[in-house]
Coordinates of all heavy atoms in Angstrom, one line a residue:
M1 N -66.9 44.7 -2.5 CA -66.6 44.3 -1.1 C -66.2 42.8 -1.1 O -65.4 42.4 -0.4 CB -67.9 44.5 -0.3 CG -67.7 44.1 1.1 SD -66.6 45.3 1.9 CE -66.8 44.8 3.6
G2 N -66.8 42.0 -2.0 CA -66.4 40.6 -2.1 C -65.0 40.4 -2.4 O -64.3 39.5 -1.9
D3 N -64.5 41.2 -3.4 CA -63.1 41.2 -3.7 C -62.1 41.5 -2.6 O -61.1 40.9 -2.4 CB -62.8 42.1 -4.9 CG -63.4 41.6 -6.2 OD1 -63.7 40.4 -6.3 OD2 -63.6 42.4 -7.1
A4 N -62.6 42.5 -1.8 CA -61.8 42.8 -0.6 C -61.7 41.7 0.4 O -60.6 41.4 0.9 CB -62.4 44.0 0.1
L5 N -62.8 41.0 0.6 CA -62.8 39.8 1.5 C -61.9 38.7 0.9 O -61.3 38.0 1.6 CB -64.2 39.4 1.8 CG -65.0 40.3 2.6 CD1 -66.5 39.8 2.7 CD2 -64.4 40.6 4.0
K6 N -62.0 38.5 -0.4 CA -61.2 37.4 -1.1 C -59.7 37.7 -1.0 O -58.9 36.8 -1.0 CB -61.6 37.3 -2.5 CG -63.0 36.6 -2.7 CD -63.4 36.5 -4.1 CE -64.8 36.0 -4.2 NZ -65.2 35.9 -5.6
S7 N -59.4 39.0 -0.7 CA -57.9 39.3 -0.6 C -57.3 38.7 0.7 O -56.1 38.6 0.8 CB -57.7 40.8 -0.6 OG -58.2 41.4 0.6
F8 N -58.2 38.2 1.6 CA -57.7 37.5 2.8 C -57.3 36.1 2.5 O -56.6 35.4 3.3 CB -58.7 37.6 3.9 CG -58.9 38.9 4.5 CD1 -60.0 39.6 4.3 CD2 -58.0 39.4 5.4 CE1 -60.2 40.9 4.9 CE2 -58.1 40.7 6.0 CZ -59.3 41.4 5.7
D9 N -57.8 35.5 1.4 CA -57.6 34.1 1.1 C -56.1 33.7 1.0 O -55.7 32.7 1.7 CB -58.3 33.7 -0.2 CG -59.8 33.7 -0.1 OD1 -60.3 33.8 1.1 OD2 -60.5 33.6 -1.1
G10 N -55.3 34.4 0.3 CA -53.9 34.1 0.1 C -53.2 34.1 1.4 O -52.5 33.1 1.8
P11 N -53.2 35.2 2.2 CA -52.6 35.3 3.5 C -53.0 34.2 4.4 O -52.2 33.6 5.2 CB -52.9 36.7 4.0 CG -53.1 37.5 2.8 CD -53.8 36.6 1.8
A12 N -54.3 33.9 4.4 CA -54.9 32.8 5.3 C -54.3 31.4 4.9 O -53.9 30.7 5.8 CB -56.4 32.8 5.2
I13 N -54.2 31.2 3.6 CA -53.6 29.9 3.2 C -52.1 29.8 3.6 O -51.7 28.8 4.1 CB -53.8 29.7 1.7 CG1 -55.3 29.5 1.4 CG2 -53.0 28.6 1.1 CD1 -55.7 29.6 -0.1
D14 N -51.4 30.9 3.4 CA -50.0 31.0 3.7 C -49.8 30.8 5.2 O -48.9 30.0 5.6 CB -49.4 32.3 3.3 CG -49.3 32.5 1.8 OD1 -49.4 31.5 1.1 OD2 -49.1 33.7 1.4
L15 N -50.6 31.4 6.0 CA -50.6 31.3 7.5 C -50.8 29.8 7.9 O -50.1 29.2 8.7 CB -51.6 32.2 8.1 CG -51.5 32.3 9.7 CD1 -50.2 32.9 10.1 CD2 -52.7 33.1 10.2
S16 N -51.8 29.2 7.3 CA -52.2 27.8 7.6 C -51.0 26.9 7.2 O -50.7 26.0 8.0 CB -53.4 27.4 6.8 OG -53.7 26.1 7.1
N17 N -50.4 27.1 6.0 CA -49.3 26.3 5.6 C -48.1 26.5 6.6 O -47.4 25.5 6.9 CB -48.8 26.7 4.2 CG -49.8 26.2 3.2 OD1 -50.6 25.3 3.4 ND2 -49.8 26.9 2.0
E18 N -47.9 27.7 7.0 CA -46.7 27.9 8.0 C -47.0 27.3 9.3 O -46.1 26.7 9.9 CB -46.5 29.4 8.1 CG -45.2 29.8 8.7 CD -44.9 31.3 8.6 OE1 -45.6 32.0 7.9 OE2 -44.0 31.7 9.3
I19 N -48.2 27.3 9.8 CA -48.6 26.6 11.0 C -48.4 25.1 10.8 O -47.8 24.4 11.7 CB -50.0 26.9 11.4 CG1 -50.2 28.3 11.9 CG2 -50.5 25.9 12.5 CD1 -51.6 28.8 12.0
D20 N -48.8 24.5 9.7 CA -48.5 23.1 9.4 C -47.0 22.8 9.4 O -46.6 21.8 10.0 CB -49.1 22.7 8.1 CG -50.6 22.7 8.1 OD1 -51.2 22.7 9.2 OD2 -51.2 22.7 7.0
F21 N -46.2 23.7 8.9 CA -44.8 23.5 8.8 C -44.2 23.4 10.3 O -43.5 22.5 10.6 CB -44.1 24.6 8.1 CG -42.6 24.7 8.3 CD1 -41.8 23.8 7.6 CD2 -42.0 25.6 9.1 CE1 -40.4 23.8 7.7 CE2 -40.7 25.6 9.3 CZ -39.8 24.7 8.6
Y22 N -44.6 24.4 11.1 CA -44.1 24.4 12.5 C -44.6 23.2 13.3 O -43.8 22.6 14.1 CB -44.4 25.7 13.2 CG -43.5 26.8 12.8 CD1 -44.0 27.9 12.1 CD2 -42.2 26.8 13.1 CE1 -43.2 28.9 11.7 CE2 -41.4 27.9 12.8 CZ -41.9 28.9 12.1 OH -41.1 30.0 11.7
E23 N -45.8 22.8 13.1 CA -46.4 21.6 13.8 C -45.6 20.4 13.4 O -45.2 19.6 14.3 CB -47.9 21.4 13.4 CG -48.8 22.3 14.2 CD -50.2 22.0 13.8 OE1 -50.5 21.4 12.8 OE2 -51.1 22.5 14.6
S24 N -45.3 20.2 12.1 CA -44.6 19.0 11.7 C -43.2 19.0 12.3 O -42.7 17.9 12.7 CB -44.6 18.8 10.2 OG -43.9 19.8 9.6
K25 N -42.5 20.1 12.3 CA -41.2 20.2 12.8 C -41.1 20.0 14.3 O -40.3 19.3 14.8 CB -40.5 21.6 12.4 CG -40.3 21.8 11.0 CD -39.3 20.8 10.4 CE -39.1 21.0 9.0 NZ -38.2 20.0 8.4
L26 N -42.1 20.6 15.0 CA -42.1 20.4 16.4 C -42.4 19.0 16.9 O -41.8 18.5 17.9 CB -43.2 21.4 17.1 CG -42.8 22.8 17.0 CD1 -44.0 23.7 17.5 CD2 -41.6 23.1 17.9
F27 N -43.3 18.3 16.2 CA -43.6 17.0 16.6 C -42.6 16.0 16.2 O -42.5 14.9 16.8 CB -45.0 16.6 16.1 CG -46.1 17.3 16.8 CD1 -47.0 18.1 16.1 CD2 -46.3 17.2 18.2 CE1 -48.0 18.8 16.7 CE2 -47.3 17.9 18.8 CZ -48.2 18.7 18.1
L28 N -41.7 16.3 15.3 CA -40.7 15.4 14.9 C -39.4 15.6 15.7 O -38.5 14.7 15.7 CB -40.4 15.5 13.4 CG -41.5 15.1 12.5 CD1 -41.2 15.4 11.0 CD2 -41.9 13.6 12.6
K29 N -39.2 16.7 16.3 CA -38.0 17.0 17.0 C -38.2 17.0 18.5 O -39.2 17.4 19.0 CB -37.4 18.4 16.6 CG -36.9 18.4 15.2 CD -36.3 19.7 14.9 CE -35.7 19.6 13.5 NZ -34.6 20.4 13.3
K30 N -37.2 16.6 19.2 CA -37.3 16.6 20.7 C -36.8 18.0 21.2 O -37.3 18.5 22.1 CB -36.4 15.5 21.3 CG -37.0 14.1 20.8 CD -36.9 13.1 22.0 CE -37.2 11.8 21.5 NZ -38.6 11.4 21.6
N31 N -35.7 18.5 20.6 CA -35.2 19.8 21.0 C -35.6 20.8 19.9 O -35.3 20.6 18.7 CB -33.7 19.8 21.1 CG -33.2 18.8 22.2 OD1 -33.9 18.7 23.2 ND2 -32.1 18.2 22.0
V32 N -36.2 21.9 20.4 CA -36.7 22.9 19.5 C -35.6 24.0 19.4 O -35.2 24.6 20.4 CB -38.0 23.5 19.9 CG1 -38.5 24.6 19.0 CG2 -39.1 22.4 20.1
P33 N -35.1 24.3 18.1 CA -34.1 25.3 18.0 C -34.7 26.7 18.3 O -35.9 27.0 18.2 CB -33.7 25.3 16.5 CG -34.4 24.1 16.0 CD -35.4 23.6 16.9
A34 N -33.8 27.6 18.8 CA -34.3 28.9 19.2 C -34.9 29.7 18.1 O -35.9 30.4 18.3 CB -33.1 29.7 19.8
D35 N -34.4 29.6 16.9 CA -34.9 30.3 15.7 C -36.3 29.8 15.4 O -37.1 30.6 14.9 CB -34.0 30.2 14.5 CG -33.8 28.8 14.0 OD1 -33.9 27.9 14.7 OD2 -33.5 28.7 12.8
M36 N -36.6 28.6 15.7 CA -38.0 28.1 15.5 C -39.0 28.7 16.5 O -40.1 29.1 16.1 CB -38.0 26.6 15.5 CG -39.4 26.0 15.2 SD -39.4 24.2 15.1 CE -38.6 24.0 13.5
I37 N -38.5 28.8 17.7 CA -39.4 29.5 18.7 C -39.6 30.9 18.3 O -40.8 31.4 18.5 CB -38.7 29.4 20.1 CG1 -38.6 27.9 20.5 CG2 -39.4 30.2 21.1 CD1 -37.8 27.6 21.8
E38 N -38.6 31.6 17.8 CA -38.8 33.0 17.4 C -39.8 33.0 16.2 O -40.7 33.9 16.2 CB -37.5 33.6 17.0 CG -37.6 35.0 16.6 CD -36.2 35.6 16.2 OE1 -35.2 35.1 16.7 OE2 -36.2 36.6 15.5
G39 N -39.7 32.1 15.3 CA -40.6 32.0 14.2 C -42.0 31.8 14.6 O -43.0 32.4 14.1
I40 N -42.2 31.0 15.6 CA -43.6 30.7 16.1 C -44.1 32.0 16.8 O -45.3 32.3 16.7 CB -43.6 29.5 17.1 CG1 -43.2 28.2 16.4 CG2 -44.9 29.4 17.9 CD1 -42.9 27.0 17.3
Y41 N -43.3 32.7 17.5 CA -43.7 33.9 18.1 C -44.2 34.9 17.1 O -45.3 35.5 17.2 CB -42.5 34.5 18.9 CG -42.8 35.9 19.4 CD1 -43.6 36.1 20.6 CD2 -42.3 37.1 18.8 CE1 -43.8 37.4 21.0 CE2 -42.5 38.3 19.2 CZ -43.3 38.5 20.4 OH -43.5 39.7 20.8
Y42 N -43.5 35.1 16.0 CA -43.9 36.0 14.9 C -45.1 35.5 14.2 O -46.0 36.3 13.8 CB -42.7 36.3 13.9 CG -41.7 37.1 14.5 CD1 -40.4 36.7 14.7 CD2 -41.9 38.4 15.0 CE1 -39.4 37.5 15.3 CE2 -41.0 39.3 15.5 CZ -39.7 38.7 15.7 OH -38.7 39.5 16.3
L43 N -45.2 34.2 14.1 CA -46.4 33.6 13.5 C -47.7 33.9 14.3 O -48.7 34.3 13.8 CB -46.2 32.1 13.3 CG -47.4 31.3 12.7 CD1 -47.6 31.7 11.3 CD2 -47.1 29.8 12.9
K44 N -47.5 33.8 15.6 CA -48.6 34.1 16.5 C -49.0 35.6 16.4 O -50.2 35.9 16.4 CB -48.2 33.8 18.0 CG -49.3 34.1 19.0 CD -48.7 33.8 20.4 CE -49.7 34.1 21.4 NZ -49.7 35.5 21.8
N45 N -48.1 36.5 16.4 CA -48.4 37.9 16.2 C -49.1 38.2 14.9 O -50.0 39.0 14.9 CB -47.1 38.7 16.3 CG -46.6 38.8 17.7 OD1 -47.3 38.6 18.7 ND2 -45.3 39.1 17.8
R46 N -48.7 37.6 13.8 CA -49.3 37.8 12.5 C -50.7 37.2 12.5 O -51.6 37.9 12.0 CB -48.5 37.1 11.4 CG -48.8 37.7 10.1 CD -47.8 37.3 9.0 NE -47.7 35.9 8.8 CZ -46.6 35.2 8.9 NH1 -45.4 35.7 9.2 NH2 -46.6 33.9 8.7
A47 N -50.9 36.1 13.2 CA -52.3 35.5 13.3 C -53.2 36.4 14.1 O -54.4 36.6 13.7 CB -52.2 34.1 13.9
G48 N -52.7 37.0 15.1 CA -53.4 38.0 15.9 C -53.8 39.2 15.1 O -54.9 39.7 15.2
L49 N -52.9 39.7 14.3 CA -53.2 40.8 13.4 C -54.3 40.5 12.4 O -55.2 41.3 12.2 CB -51.9 41.3 12.7 CG -52.1 42.4 11.6 CD1 -52.6 43.7 12.3 CD2 -50.8 42.6 10.9
Y50 N -54.2 39.3 11.8 CA -55.2 38.9 10.8 C -56.6 38.8 11.5 O -57.6 39.1 10.9 CB -54.9 37.5 10.2 CG -53.7 37.5 9.3 CD1 -53.2 36.3 8.8 CD2 -53.1 38.7 8.9 CE1 -52.1 36.3 7.9 CE2 -52.0 38.7 8.0 CZ -51.5 37.5 7.5 OH -50.4 37.5 6.7
K51 N -56.6 38.3 12.8 CA -57.8 38.2 13.5 C -58.5 39.6 13.7 O -59.7 39.7 13.5 CB -57.6 37.5 14.8 CG -58.8 37.4 15.7 CD -58.5 36.7 17.0 CE -59.7 36.7 17.9 NZ -59.4 36.1 19.2
K52 N -57.6 40.5 14.1 CA -58.1 41.9 14.3 C -58.7 42.5 12.9 O -59.7 43.1 12.9 CB -57.0 42.8 14.8 CG -56.7 42.6 16.2 CD -55.5 43.4 16.7 CE -55.1 43.1 18.1 NZ -53.9 43.9 18.5
L53 N -58.0 42.2 11.8 CA -58.5 42.7 10.5 C -59.8 42.1 10.2 O -60.7 42.8 9.7 CB -57.4 42.4 9.5 CG -56.2 43.3 9.5 CD1 -55.2 42.7 8.5 CD2 -56.5 44.7 9.1
L54 N -60.0 40.8 10.4 CA -61.2 40.1 10.1 C -62.4 40.6 11.0 O -63.5 40.8 10.6 CB -61.1 38.6 10.3 CG -60.3 38.0 9.1 CD1 -60.0 36.5 9.4 CD2 -61.0 38.1 7.8
L55 N -62.0 40.9 12.3 CA -63.1 41.5 13.2 C -63.5 42.9 12.7 O -64.7 43.2 12.8 CB -62.6 41.5 14.6 CG -62.4 40.1 15.3 CD1 -61.8 40.3 16.7 CD2 -63.8 39.5 15.5
L56 N -62.5 43.7 12.3 CA -62.9 45.0 11.8 C -63.7 44.9 10.5 O -64.6 45.7 10.3 CB -61.6 45.8 11.6 CG -60.9 46.3 12.8 CD1 -59.5 46.9 12.5 CD2 -61.7 47.3 13.6
S57 N -63.3 44.0 9.7 CA -64.1 43.9 8.4 C -65.5 43.3 8.7 O -66.4 43.7 8.0 CB -63.4 42.9 7.4 OG -63.3 41.6 7.9
N58 N -65.6 42.6 9.8 CA -67.0 42.1 10.2 C -67.9 43.3 10.5 O -69.0 43.3 10.2 CB -66.9 41.1 11.3 CG -68.2 40.6 11.7 OD1 -68.9 40.0 10.8 ND2 -68.6 40.7 13.0
E59 N -67.3 44.3 11.2 CA -68.1 45.5 11.6 C -68.5 46.2 10.3 O -69.6 46.7 10.3 CB -67.2 46.4 12.5 CG -67.0 45.8 13.9 CD -66.1 46.8 14.7 OE1 -66.1 48.0 14.4 OE2 -65.5 46.3 15.7
V60 N -67.7 46.3 9.3 CA -68.0 47.0 8.1 C -69.1 46.2 7.4 O -70.1 46.8 6.9 CB -66.8 47.1 7.2 CG1 -67.2 47.6 5.8 CG2 -65.8 48.1 7.8
V61 N -68.9 44.9 7.2 CA -69.9 44.1 6.5 C -71.3 44.1 7.1 O -72.3 44.2 6.5 CB -69.4 42.6 6.4 CG1 -70.5 41.7 5.8 CG2 -68.2 42.5 5.5
T62 N -71.3 44.0 8.5 CA -72.6 44.0 9.1 C -73.2 45.4 9.2 O -74.5 45.5 9.3 CB -72.5 43.5 10.6 OG1 -71.5 44.3 11.3 CG2 -72.1 42.1 10.6
S63 N -72.5 46.5 8.9 CA -73.0 47.8 8.9 C -73.6 48.2 7.6 O -74.3 49.2 7.5 CB -72.0 48.9 9.4 OG -71.0 49.0 8.4
I64 N -73.3 47.4 6.6 CA -73.9 47.8 5.2 C -75.3 47.4 5.1 O -75.7 46.3 5.5 CB -73.0 47.1 4.1 CG1 -71.6 47.5 4.2 CG2 -73.6 47.3 2.7 CD1 -70.6 46.8 3.3
H65 N -76.1 48.2 4.5 CA -77.5 47.9 4.3 C -77.8 48.0 2.8 O -77.3 48.9 2.1 CB -78.4 48.9 5.1 CG -78.2 48.9 6.5 ND1 -78.7 47.9 7.3 CD2 -77.5 49.7 7.4 CE1 -78.3 48.1 8.6 NE2 -77.6 49.2 8.6
A66 N -78.5 47.1 2.3 CA -78.9 47.0 0.9 C -80.4 47.0 0.8 O -81.1 46.4 1.6 CB -78.2 45.8 0.2
E67 N -80.8 47.5 -0.3 CA -82.3 47.4 -0.6 C -82.5 46.9 -2.0 O -81.6 47.0 -2.9 CB -82.9 48.9 -0.5 CG -82.8 49.4 0.9 CD -83.5 50.8 1.0 OE1 -84.2 51.1 0.1 OE2 -83.2 51.5 2.0
G68 N -83.7 46.3 -2.2 CA -84.1 45.8 -3.5 C -83.2 44.7 -4.0 O -82.9 43.8 -3.3
D69 N -82.8 44.9 -5.3 CA -82.0 43.9 -6.0 C -80.6 43.7 -5.5 O -79.9 42.9 -5.9 CB -82.1 44.1 -7.5 CG -81.5 45.4 -7.9 OD1 -81.3 46.3 -7.1 OD2 -81.2 45.5 -9.1
Q70 N -80.1 44.6 -4.6 CA -78.8 44.5 -4.0 C -78.7 43.6 -2.9 O -77.6 43.2 -2.4 CB -78.3 45.9 -3.6 CG -78.1 46.9 -4.7 CD -77.1 46.4 -5.7 OE1 -76.0 46.0 -5.3 NE2 -77.3 46.5 -7.0
R71 N -79.8 43.2 -2.3 CA -79.8 42.3 -1.1 C -79.1 41.0 -1.4 O -78.4 40.5 -0.5 CB -81.3 42.1 -0.6 CG -81.8 43.3 0.1 CD -83.1 43.0 0.8 NE -83.4 43.9 1.8 CZ -84.6 44.2 2.2 NH1 -85.6 43.6 1.7 NH2 -84.8 45.2 3.1
P72 N -79.4 40.3 -2.5 CA -78.7 39.0 -2.7 C -77.2 39.2 -2.8 O -76.5 38.3 -2.3 CB -79.3 38.5 -4.1 CG -80.6 39.2 -4.2 CD -80.4 40.5 -3.5
A73 N -76.7 40.3 -3.4 CA -75.3 40.5 -3.5 C -74.7 40.7 -2.1 O -73.6 40.2 -1.7 CB -75.0 41.7 -4.4
L74 N -75.4 41.5 -1.2 CA -74.9 41.7 0.1 C -74.9 40.4 0.9 O -74.0 40.1 1.7 CB -75.8 42.7 0.8 CG -75.4 43.1 2.3 CD1 -74.0 43.5 2.4 CD2 -76.4 44.1 2.8
R75 N -75.9 39.6 0.7 CA -76.0 38.3 1.4 C -74.8 37.4 1.0 O -74.2 36.7 1.8 CB -77.4 37.6 1.1 CG -77.7 36.4 1.9 CD -79.1 35.8 1.8 NE -79.7 36.1 0.5 CZ -80.8 36.9 0.3 NH1 -81.3 37.6 1.3 NH2 -81.3 37.1 -0.9
D76 N -74.5 37.4 -0.3 CA -73.3 36.7 -0.8 C -72.0 37.2 -0.1 O -71.2 36.3 0.3 CB -73.2 36.8 -2.3 CG -74.3 36.1 -3.1 OD1 -75.0 35.2 -2.4 OD2 -74.4 36.3 -4.3
V77 N -71.9 38.5 0.1 CA -70.7 39.0 0.7 C -70.7 38.6 2.2 O -69.6 38.2 2.7 CB -70.7 40.6 0.6 CG1 -69.6 41.2 1.5 CG2 -70.4 41.0 -0.8
R78 N -71.8 38.6 2.8 CA -71.8 38.2 4.2 C -71.5 36.7 4.4 O -70.8 36.3 5.3 CB -73.2 38.5 4.9 CG -73.3 40.0 5.1 CD -74.6 40.4 5.8 NE -74.7 41.8 6.1 CZ -75.8 42.5 6.2 NH1 -76.9 41.9 6.1 NH2 -75.7 43.8 6.5
D79 N -72.0 35.9 3.4 CA -71.7 34.5 3.5 C -70.2 34.3 3.2 O -69.6 33.4 3.9 CB -72.5 33.7 2.4 CG -74.0 33.6 2.7 OD1 -74.4 33.9 3.9 OD2 -74.8 33.3 1.8
L80 N -69.7 35.0 2.3 CA -68.2 34.9 2.0 C -67.4 35.2 3.3 O -66.4 34.6 3.6 CB -67.8 35.8 0.9 CG -66.4 35.8 0.5 CD1 -65.9 34.5 0.0 CD2 -66.1 36.9 -0.6
H81 N -67.9 36.2 4.0 CA -67.1 36.7 5.2 C -67.2 35.6 6.3 O -66.2 35.5 7.0 CB -67.7 38.0 5.7 CG -66.9 38.6 6.8 ND1 -67.2 38.4 8.1 CD2 -65.7 39.4 6.8 CE1 -66.3 39.0 8.9 NE2 -65.4 39.6 8.1
T82 N -68.3 35.0 6.5 CA -68.4 34.0 7.6 C -67.9 32.7 7.2 O -67.6 31.8 8.1 CB -69.9 33.8 8.0 OG1 -70.7 33.4 6.9 CG2 -70.5 35.1 8.5
N83 N -67.6 32.4 6.0 CA -67.1 31.0 5.6 C -65.6 31.1 5.5 O -64.7 31.5 5.2 CB -67.7 30.5 4.3 CG -69.2 30.2 4.6 OD1 -69.5 29.8 5.6 ND2 -70.0 30.4 3.5

């Protein structure tokens, strides 16, 4: 389960970098090109999709129950999900 959650790292970093790119371009320019507005629109949609995936994965993570020596591993997975 931890590996599945770590699979979100790359796309999250890419999304963050893309947001940074658009922010820097928008604040440096007075006129925003139409293709940049379209790119922001698609970026917003992708961010919404990632949010939904994370919310669904939260339901899965919180529904898992562990007993005995598996509890620390489950706690690690939950910590990874919330950070």
Side-chain angles (χ1 to χ4, degrees):
M1 183 68 172
D3 290 338
L5 292 176
K6 288 179 185 177
S7 71
F8 288 107
D9 289 350
I13 291 168
D14 293 344
L15 186 65
S16 179
N17 290 338
E18 198 169 344
I19 290 169
D20 290 343
F21 167 79
Y22 282 112
E23 281 181 344
S24 68
K25 294 295 181 186
L26 287 172
F27 289 120
L28 294 176
K29 292 187 177 212
K30 300 218 186 270
N31 296 327
V32 180
D35 63 334
M36 186 173 286
I37 293 171
E38 184 178 336
I40 293 169
Y41 172 78
Y42 288 117
L43 178 68
K44 179 182 176 279
N45 286 339
R46 199 165 63 238
L49 176 63
Y50 291 172
K51 179 180 176 182
K52 287 178 186 177
L53 287 171
L54 288 170
L55 289 173
L56 289 172
S57 66
N58 184 52
E59 291 179 23
V60 172
V61 169
T62 56
S63 70
I64 297 172
H65 299 286
E67 296 184 16
D69 60 344
Q70 295 296 317
R71 283 187 165 155
L74 179 58
R75 193 171 25 250
D76 290 345
V77 168
R78 287 184 176 155
D79 288 345
L80 177 64
H81 188 266
T82 58
N83 291 327

